[in-house]
């Protein structure tokens, strides 16, 4: 039976890498009906809306989406179109595997860790008070009254909510993910020593949930600054990481850096009913339409989507073909060559062609 999947090509380089991913997924033989939808800058230009209702309806109906990166136009009411989409669909778990593939430049070998970031709250909840506004002054007075601490009157304020509900949900998700993917250890990352009522709560609830998995999983915790150093010095000590939103955002780029950069970093945003797969990188507008950028991150996001659809044999063949093309280093884009001006670099389309050829030969 064919799967129906919402496909959002995205902005900038999005359409090129989405087309590459779509062709590679189809080459595995899995039958997919693509329900193509627009969002982001492309949708704003065509419909006047950044996230048309039709996109949300399509994902809610199909439950699975593959999305190219979207540009957030500056000053259009959204801090980020991507964050807004994750909120609208309650995609609370952001899953970012970081894995080294031979052929991709990295100072490390054999890294295989997964970062799971809480997607719905923390400083990304979008609750902010602008400097100089009357409500900001009101809030400052209230905080001073209750805490007896001074806040400079010319401050802006961002609110960091962390709840028992969302923490329990994300840590449980991380533990279940670890168990179902044959992983051994979950590390909770926080700054509970300083932010006792937010990160402290995250840690307390995480430990409670971790205790439910005793005997089945090792559960530990580390402070985020120490974690940043440990990841650079001893990345092999880690398996699954679970973090609140902001630290998750920062450390997922660090992890992408450990394994060769944004060009090869895939991702997934998962909720209880819907799942959206996308590369970690953005729409890189300066490369749009030039058939130049690396499609690997988007193709590997498609590989994660195939696993989510229980098409594991197809996902294995796709991953193995990507691995082969990366290891050969011949039909790869400029960023994967020894120097960025290497004349033997191929375009986005040609790299996808090489991956398709490798899939068909398997
Ligand atoms: P970006 O990731 O788009 O680009 C940064 C740089 O990374 C590029 O200039 C390029 O050198 C490199 N790069 C990115 N993807 C690459 C690829 N596939 N192959 C080779 N090199 C690649 O980040 P940015 O410039 O900060 O953001 C541009 C736009 O993308 C913004 O509007 C931002 O909001 C948006 N964005 C979207 C998402 C998403 O859709 N999930 C994520 C991040 C940023």
């Amino acid at each position: 039976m064919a799967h129906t999947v919402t496909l959002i090509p995205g902005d900038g380089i999005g359409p090129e890498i989405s087309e590459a991913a779509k062709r590679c997924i189809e080459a595995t033989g899995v039958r997919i009906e693509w329900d193509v939808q627009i969002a982001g800058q492309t949708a704003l230009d065509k419909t006047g809306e950044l996230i048309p209702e039709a996109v949300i309806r399509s994902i809610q109906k199909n439950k699975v989406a593959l999305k190219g990166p979207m540009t957030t136009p500056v000053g259009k009411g959204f801090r980020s179109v991507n964050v807004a989409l994750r909120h609208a669909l309650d995609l609370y778990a952001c899953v970012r595997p970081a894995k080294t593939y031979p052929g991709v430049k990295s100072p490390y070998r054999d890294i295989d860790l997964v970062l799971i970031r809480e997607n719905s709250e923390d400083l990304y909840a979008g609750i902010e008070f602008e400097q100089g506004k009357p409500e900001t002054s009101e809030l400052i007075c209230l905080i001073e009254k209750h805490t007896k601490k001074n806040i400079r009157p010319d401050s802006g304020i961002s609110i960091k909510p962390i709840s028992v509900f969302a923490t329990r949900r994300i840590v449980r998700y991380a533990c279940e993910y670890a168990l179902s993917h044959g992983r051994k250890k979950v590390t909770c990352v926080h700054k509970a020593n300083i932010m006792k009522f937010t990160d402290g709560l995250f840690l307390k609830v995480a430990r409670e949930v971790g205790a439910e998995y005793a005997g089945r999983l090792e559960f530990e915790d580390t402070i985020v600054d120490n974690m940043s150093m440990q990841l650079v010095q001893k990345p092999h000590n880690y398996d699954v990481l679970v973090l609140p939103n902001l630290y998750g955002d920062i450390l997922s780029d660090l992890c992408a850096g450990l394994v060769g950069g944004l060009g090869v970093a895939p991702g997934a945003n998962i909720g209880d009913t819907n799942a959206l797969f996308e590369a970690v990188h953005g729409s890189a507008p300066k490369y749009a339409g030039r058939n130049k950028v690396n499609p690997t991150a988007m193709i590997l996001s498609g590989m994660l989507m195939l696993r989510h659809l229980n098409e594991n044999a197809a996902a294995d063949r796709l991953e193995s073909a990507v691995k082969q093309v990366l290891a050969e280093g011949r039909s790869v884009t400029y960023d994967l060559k020894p120097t960025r001006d290497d004349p033997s670099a191929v375009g986005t389309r040609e790299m996808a062609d090489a991956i398709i050829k490798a899939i068909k030969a398997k």
Side-chain angles (χ1 to χ4, degrees):
M1 202 186 73
H3 303 279
T4 308
V5 170
T6 302
L7 176 68
I8 306 167
D11 304 315
I13 57 171
E16 299 157 61
I17 57 171
S18 299
E19 180 60 21
K22 175 173 171 274
R23 288 172 54 224
C24 290
I25 292 164
E26 286 172 348
T28 64
V30 171
R31 282 179 48 225
I32 294 187
E33 276 171 27
W34 302 99
D35 178 1
V36 180
Q37 298 287 335
I38 52 168
Q41 183 70 57
T42 314
L44 185 70
D45 296 343
K46 283 198 181 147
T47 69
E49 277 183 291
L50 276 167
I51 307 181
E53 191 48 40
V55 186
I56 305 285
R57 272 203 310 271
S58 164
I59 301 175
Q60 283 169 337
K61 177 163 77 65
N62 300 323
K63 316 253 182 298
V64 182
L66 182 65
K67 180 182 96 49
M70 297 192 303
T71 302
T72 298
V74 177
K76 283 280 182 270
F78 280 97
R79 281 174 182 79
S80 158
V81 193
N82 297 293
V83 173
L85 196 58
R86 288 169 205 158
H87 276 272
L89 293 161
D90 200 18
L91 303 171
Y92 60 83
C94 180
V95 181
R96 290 181 170 175
K99 191 166 168 179
T100 37
Y101 291 98
V104 180
K105 277 172 283 174
S106 158
Y108 304 93
R109 291 177 64 181
D110 302 326
I111 291 182
D112 182 11
L113 50 87
V114 180
L115 183 145
I116 297 180
R117 158 186 170 196
E118 204 289 323
N119 245 349
S120 73
E121 46 184 33
D122 194 359
L123 283 163
Y124 285 46
I127 309 167
E128 296 201 290
F129 292 83
E130 194 178 342
Q131 182 269 320
K133 288 281 166 72
E135 59 271 26
T136 312
S137 308
E138 219 176 288
L139 181 66
I140 288 173
C141 289
L142 187 73
I143 292 171
E144 287 182 347
K145 182 172 155 227
H146 287 287
T147 64
K148 310 282 177 262
K149 291 203 170 128
N150 289 328
I151 297 177
R152 291 190 183 94
D154 57 351
S155 298
I157 297 186
S158 298
I159 302 287
K160 171 175 165 132
I162 300 266
S163 68
V164 172
F165 172 84
T167 305
R168 193 171 282 148
R169 182 169 71 165
I170 194 68
V171 180
R172 196 158 276 152
Y173 180 87
C175 292
E176 289 297 328
Y177 179 98
L179 283 181
S180 61
H181 289 75
R183 304 241 167 204
K184 305 269 178 286
K185 182 167 83 168
V186 174
T187 306
C188 163
V189 184
H190 59 88
K191 189 77 184 167
N193 53 330
I194 303 293
M195 282 163 281
K196 297 191 188 305
F197 299 150
T198 49
D199 287 31
L201 182 64
F202 189 85
L203 176 60
K204 175 178 169 286
V205 175
R207 281 182 174 155
E208 285 165 12
V209 175
E212 293 169 19
Y213 291 83
R216 293 183 287 162
L217 282 174
E218 190 186 334
F219 192 87
E220 62 174 18
D221 70 86
T222 306
I223 292 174
V224 63
D225 36 356
N226 181 29
M227 189 72 211
S228 310
M229 187 188 70
Q230 297 294 338
L231 277 173
V232 173
Q233 288 196 324
K234 301 177 197 158
H236 300 100
N237 284 0
Y238 299 96
D239 196 356
V240 175
L241 311 178
V242 62
L243 312 88
N245 212 335
L246 176 66
Y247 311 142
D249 192 10
I250 298 168
L251 289 197
S252 61
D253 271 31
L254 188 150
C255 289
L258 292 178
V259 298
L262 288 174
V264 293
N269 295 286
I270 315 271
D272 286 334
T273 45
N274 306 311
L276 182 146
F277 297 82
E278 61 177 336
V280 172
H281 64 70
S283 58
K286 70 177 173 191
Y287 291 113
R290 292 172 58 193
N291 188 38
K292 195 166 164 63
V293 296
N294 187 350
T296 306
M298 189 70 189
I299 294 171
L300 290 175
S301 302
M303 180 272 292
L304 297 177
M305 183 189 87
L306 286 173
R307 294 207 189 285
H308 179 83
L309 293 170
N310 276 326
E311 297 285 1
N312 287 309
D316 288 344
R317 278 169 67 218
L318 177 53
E319 187 175 17
S320 156
V322 170
K323 211 168 157 181
Q324 182 187 324
V325 169
L326 292 173
E328 287 168 359
R330 213 172 332 111
S331 301
V332 295
T333 46
Y334 73 99
D335 55 313
L336 295 169
K337 291 285 183 183
T339 58
R340 290 175 89 83
D341 55 359
D342 190 316
S344 71
V346 303
T348 310
R349 205 178 306 117
E350 292 70 29
M351 185 165 173
D353 290 342
I355 294 168
I356 291 167
K357 199 167 154 211
I359 294 169
K360 299 232 156 118
K362 287 195 186 291

